[in-house]
Amino acid sequence: GQSLEQPSEVTAVEGAIVQINCTYQTSGFYGLSWYQQHDGGAPTFLSYNALDGLEETGRFSSFLSRSDSYGYLLLQELQMKDSASYFCVRSGSARQLTFGSGTQLTVLP
Amino acid sequence: DVKVTQSSRYLVKRTGEKVFLECVQDMDHENMFWYRQDPGLGLRLIYFSYDVKMKEKGDIPEGYSVSREKKERFSLILESASTNQTSMYLCASSDLAGEDEQYFGPGTRLTVT
């Protein structure tokens, strides 16, 4: 199958660090992406990992371990505007993307 | 800036009607996609296209068809709308190469009554 597992909700306070985990099915796996979606908005791309390791983009980092079929998104120095849904997304054959069901992040003051 | 536009933000149709959802991108992208988004289910791929006049079924194609007559335009068609097709519909496009970044339109919230 191509399912992904990620927590449905995470809550953290401003300034904190939060990690959103994602596990995926390995069949035909190419890479793992992360998208952010604010309420009422369109998903926007955050990061992509095709190889094992950490990719850093400002306050956000994404990690992939192909041997563990596992990845995570790390958000540092949380801000109120980071409150949103975060989707881990699996790239498979023929460049199809399979979205997880999303993690609703709430950042508290 | 990459821009993906969809013909309507909100649409209300009756059961049995034929519904057209239009999507246009201005980045000369090869790939275009249609998703629907429902609470708790994330985004599910309906159809996608890698080239003009080409289409591939996604995970939930039943009840839908698509048309790509021009590179910049990808249309989703509900042949006979049903209430279970009430949803948010999102169109996206991406380059042939790259890191799989897809650019999304603002979405069309379709209600079928």
Side-chain angles (χ1 to χ4, degrees):
Chain A
Q2 299 184 345
S3 64
L4 300 102
E5 296 287 335
Q6 60 180 120
S8 59
E9 295 178 341
V10 172
T11 301
V13 297
E14 256 187 312
I17 298 172
V18 70
Q19 178 174 312
I20 300 173
N21 298 320
C22 176
T23 57
Y24 59 86
Q25 296 290 331
T26 57
S27 175
F29 176 81
Y30 276 64
L32 197 71
S33 305
W34 291 90
Y35 282 73
Q36 178 192 61
Q37 186 180 30
H38 287 98
D39 277 349
T44 55
F45 174 83
L46 293 177
S47 68
Y48 175 72
N49 295 70
L51 303 175
D52 285 359
L54 192 68
E55 296 281 342
E56 296 180 75
T57 309
R59 295 187 296 114
F60 294 1
S61 304
S62 59
F63 172 82
L64 178 67
S65 169
R66 296 177 73 104
S67 59
D68 296 323
S69 302
Y70 163 77
Y72 65 73
L73 179 69
L74 189 73
L75 298 86
Q76 302 183 72
E77 301 173 19
L78 280 176
Q79 302 176 7
M80 298 295 289
K81 67 179 182 180
D82 297 330
S83 291
S85 291
Y86 292 85
F87 295 91
C88 66
V89 184
R90 179 189 175 281
S91 300
S93 59
R95 305 184 69 79
Q96 278 185 263
L97 300 186
T98 301
F99 281 71
S101 55
T103 298
Q104 178 66 50
L105 171 64
T106 301
V107 180
L108 301 174
Chain B
D1 273 354
V2 172
K3 195 166 184 182
V4 179
T5 57
Q6 296 182 226
S7 49
S8 306
R9 284 305 305 268
Y10 300 94
L11 206 54
V12 179
K13 294 292 182 180
R14 293 185 176 176
T15 301
E17 278 192 86
K18 190 168 186 176
V19 181
F20 292 87
L21 302 182
E22 305 285 342
C23 176
V24 177
Q25 51 94 3
D26 64 1
M27 275 63 55
D28 200 36
H29 283 168
E30 303 289 336
N31 310 318
M32 296 189 75
F33 307 82
W34 273 107
Y35 297 88
R36 62 177 284 176
Q37 183 172 23
D38 301 288
L41 296 177
L43 279 74
R44 294 179 290 167
L45 181 64
I46 304 171
Y47 267 97
F48 59 102
S49 170
Y50 293 149
D51 201 352
V52 175
K53 296 192 186 295
M54 176 274 176
K55 60 185 178 183
E56 291 285 343
K57 293 180 180 179
D59 298 320
I60 51 164
E62 295 79 19
Y64 304 94
S65 62
V66 290
S67 173
R68 192 157 181 210
E69 296 297 318
K70 294 184 177 181
K71 189 176 184 180
E72 68 271 18
R73 186 179 299 269
F74 192 36
S75 303
L76 180 69
I77 303 154
L78 286 68
E79 296 291 342
S80 177
S82 63
T83 55
N84 62 14
Q85 292 180 309
T86 291
S87 186
M88 172 66 81
Y89 290 88
L90 290 158
C91 174
S93 71
S94 71
D95 276 341
L96 184 60
E99 295 182 334
D100 288 293
E101 178 174 359
Q102 292 194 357
Y103 297 86
F104 283 83
T108 296
R109 182 161 295 282
L110 173 67
T111 302
V112 182
T113 61

